[in-house]
Amino acid sequence: MNASEMRKKLEMSNRCDNLDEWINSYLFKRFCETSRDVVAVNSSEFVKFGWKNSHFEAAMEARGYIVDYKCDDRPCASPYFEIRLPK
């Protein structure tokens, strides 16, 4: 496998397929429920989609959201993301 093929393969594995659909259905609903500009989303939500946390964070930030990875307990048993709307 040459470097170009490797880059293409890595780009494919870093994607968050169906992210925009998730934003339109799930995330929009969460923002409406809280009536705030920030929501918390458990990172286990992404396992079913096959998204990796770092790729999710980068994809959301590319769409203009402010994303922070959080963990309130030690050891980190329940990691989550705080997702904010830009001001």
Side-chain angles (χ1 to χ4, degrees), residues 57-73:
E57 190 171 357
M60 289 295 287
E61 288 175 351
R63 288 165 172 78
Y65 294 92
I66 301 163
V67 180
D68 292 314
Y69 183 78
K70 303 277 188 164
C71 187
D72 294 337
D73 53 351

Side-chain angles (χ1 to χ4, degrees), residues 22 26 30 41-51 53 79:
W22 179 83
Y26 180 82
R30 290 293 310 268
V41 178
N42 193 305
S43 65
S44 65
E45 171 74 21
F46 313 125
V47 172
K48 61 185 171 192
F49 297 112
W51 302 340
N53 289 346

